[in-house]
Amino acid sequence: MRLLAGVLLLASTLTGSSDPAAVVDGWKTSPVYVDPAQRSLVPDKDAAELAERVNGHDPAIRIAVVPAAVLGPGDQSAAAHTYVDQLVDRQQADGIYLVVFGGAISWGSAVGVDTPIAEILTDELGKHSRSDPVGTLNGVLDQLDVPKKSSSGSTWLWALPAALVMLLAALFLARSIRALSRKKDSRPALYRPSYEVLPDEVDTLDERRATAREDVTRFGEELDAADVRLDGVDTGADVQAAMDAYADAGRVVDGEPNDDKLREVRATVEYGRWRLACAQAKVAGTPAPARRAACFFDPSHGTSVTDWMYTPPGGKPREVPVCSACRDRLSGGSR
């Protein structure tokens, strides 16, 4: 008997293909397959821990994380059902199949196993955000009584990321305090985050990187809080674009970006916020917001046409969105 569970969180109208044969081939070496494009959702370390947990379990548990684009346009649930059926037909084995389609939909199938996978998956999806497939999958495994693999040295390794986050937060706070207390110099604040801060506090590359990381983190929190669902309105393309922007920006700030990359991060985050706002506008039945911000000097001037380097009295140079009239005034064309 096959029990199926599909929980539609978001939808993607992106088209694409991902051969189920690649997933089944990957299962030959590991019970957890993560498409290379989805490693920002399920990093290699988490995939390895999931694989260690389910390896050798009876009944067999197979997990796949593939792009939402494989669903294509139309009925997302039907597409997910078909895709999982193709996996089962190729694998030709009983067991529990768990498939995450990017940030769009999660699907479970129990083949030849008397397991209430529908209820379990639905319950866990209600507990975890759409950007936390690892938490969802581990929650499902908990309900299936799959023991966690642990060793004497794993406890401190588990605590290390949290300690690192606290250390980075402390360093950022210390840098911010130093930035406030020391004399301002003339270096430009090249990263202007998408939320309100005092730009003059961001005056070194390390501080600009820290501000960019915080901006990306806040954007992720906004995505989780928005929880845009389908209410008879196709928001899939906008939501997927916002999530892709979050993932792209996250990959950049995880490294050591220079100012050129930080400018790209700012643009990526602002684009993602705009696409999210477009999805929310569709659900609310209101017009989509303008792509660019309003003029920095006077919102009544309307939508900006470009960014301009501007130095306020007693402040530091920074890029601000300006309308065409203010651009001409700043360039000396008019006063």
Side-chain angles (χ1 to χ4, degrees):
M1 180 178 67
R2 181 177 300 178
L3 301 176
L4 299 174
V7 180
L8 187 61
L9 299 180
L10 304 170
S12 169
T13 57
L14 301 176
T15 59
S17 63
S18 181
D19 188 0
V23 178
V24 174
D25 188 57
W27 281 340
K28 293 177 181 178
T29 57
S30 172
V32 177
Y33 172 86
V34 180
D35 185 278
Q38 302 302 301
R39 286 174 181 162
S40 60
L41 277 177
V42 182
D44 291 343
K45 177 179 177 294
D46 293 319
E49 290 176 352
L50 286 167
E52 183 183 12
R53 188 173 181 184
V54 303
N55 192 37
H57 188 269
D58 186 18
I61 299 175
R62 299 175 181 87
I63 298 172
V65 183
V66 298
V70 303
L71 298 174
D75 189 337
Q76 307 294 303
S77 295
H81 187 165
T82 300
Y83 188 91
V84 175
D85 277 351
Q86 291 174 351
L87 293 178
V88 173
D89 291 342
R90 287 179 175 273
Q91 185 66 27
Q92 295 184 344
D94 291 347
I96 297 171
Y97 294 78
L98 297 169
V99 182
V100 176
F101 296 88
I105 186 172
S106 295
W107 196 272
S109 178
V111 181
V113 179
D114 188 14
T115 301
I117 196 64
E119 292 83 353
I120 292 174
L121 183 57
T122 300
D123 183 51
E124 288 302 322
L125 285 167
K127 297 176 183 177
H128 301 275
S129 71
R130 56 184 171 267
S131 59
D132 183 24
V134 174
T136 300
L137 292 169
N138 273 311
V140 171
L141 297 180
D142 288 341
Q143 292 205 42
L144 293 174
D145 294 325
V146 179
K148 293 182 178 179
K149 305 294 183 180
S150 61
S151 63
S152 58
S154 63
T155 302
W156 71 269
L157 288 174
W158 180 260
L160 183 60
L164 182 59
V165 169
M166 293 177 65
L167 177 61
L168 290 174
L171 290 174
F172 175 69
L173 179 60
R175 291 190 182 115
S176 297
I177 293 173
R178 288 197 301 271
L180 286 170
S181 62
R182 66 173 174 258
K183 181 180 179 180
K184 302 297 182 182
D185 58 33
S186 60
R187 289 173 296 178
L190 294 177
Y191 184 84
R192 177 175 57 82
S194 303
Y195 59 91
E196 293 299 324
V197 297
L198 298 176
D200 293 340
E201 293 181 4
V202 186
D203 58 0
T204 72
L205 180 56
D206 282 344
E207 287 164 353
R208 290 193 288 274
R209 287 170 176 167
T211 305
R213 293 187 188 102
E214 184 177 346
D215 196 23
V216 174
T217 298
R218 290 195 184 198
F219 179 38
E221 293 171 350
E222 291 164 14
L223 280 171
D224 284 340
D227 196 24
V228 179
R229 298 174 182 271
L230 288 181
D231 293 323
V233 180
D234 186 5
T235 60
D238 288 318
V239 172
Q240 187 65 47
M243 295 185 67
D244 289 344
Y246 169 64
D248 291 342
R251 281 191 290 270
V252 175
V253 298
D254 282 345
E256 296 183 353
N258 58 23
D259 281 320
D260 289 337
K261 290 296 183 181
L262 290 178
R263 288 191 185 95
E264 294 175 7
V265 168
R266 186 193 70 193
T268 300
V269 171
E270 289 181 341
Y271 173 76
R273 283 193 169 103
W274 173 68
R275 293 300 296 264
L276 178 60
C278 288
Q280 293 171 316
K282 287 180 180 178
V283 172
T286 57
R291 172 65 181 90
R292 290 192 54 85
C295 179
F296 172 81
F297 295 101
D298 189 342
S300 67
H301 291 177
T303 303
S304 61
V305 297
T306 189
D307 290 332
W308 197 267
M309 211 67 175
Y310 167 71
T311 304
K316 300 169 67 63
R318 80 289 310 279
E319 287 179 316
V320 297
V322 297
C323 65
S324 58
C326 288
R327 176 196 59 194
D328 294 341
R329 177 175 60 82
L330 291 168
S331 64
S334 62
R335 288 283 179 181

